[in-house]
Amino acid sequence: MRLYHIGALIKIALWLIIWVVLYFTINVYEDPAIAIWLWLVAVLLVSRGLSFYLFWWLHQLFSDHDGEKILSDSYKMSLLFWLFCLINVSLLMMHIWTNLLWAILLIGFVLLHILLFTQKQEKRYDR
């Protein structure tokens, strides 16, 4: 149960370390490519770490499951959110990103969330 918290806190700590390194060691005018890539890595790490706590808090508000189930689902939801952010950032970097493509990806990830979590609820009731 604590591994979920440790994993999320490690991601947030890495985000802080990257920001400190960016601020004190890299001159963004001399190395813009390195600064941009490290900034993107930091944003992706913080989106994964902080989204876990956001989903965990929302799950606690609106769910009646036990603590381990809430933590597990929140971690899976943060992984899906992270993948969504990673795909969008990759498409932006390749200059392929459009509003239509973003909407299709968003609908796909929402459907993936629905499929992932409704199947588990059906299995739970079959016992």
Side-chain angles (χ1 to χ4, degrees), residues 2-21:
R2 291 183 184 192
L3 288 177
Y4 296 116
H5 292 290
I6 292 170
L9 290 174
I10 286 172
K11 289 172 187 74
I12 293 170
L14 285 173
W15 168 70
L16 289 172
I17 290 169
I18 289 173
W19 277 107
V20 168
V21 167

Side-chain angles (χ1 to χ4, degrees), residues 1 22 34 51 78 85-86 95 99 102 104 120-121 127:
M1 186 167 170
L22 277 173
I34 293 172
S51 67
S78 72
C85 291
L86 182 66
H95 304 289
N99 287 337
W102 176 81
I104 291 169
K120 288 189 175 192
Q121 289 175 354
R127 289 185 198 178

Side-chain angles (χ1 to χ4, degrees), residues 40-63:
L40 289 174
V41 167
V43 167
L44 290 172
L45 282 171
V46 78
S47 71
R48 177 85 195 271
L50 291 179
S51 67
F52 164 71
Y53 286 110
L54 176 70
F55 291 134
W56 180 50
W57 177 68
L58 290 172
H59 246 266
Q60 286 181 333
L61 285 177
F62 299 111
S63 180

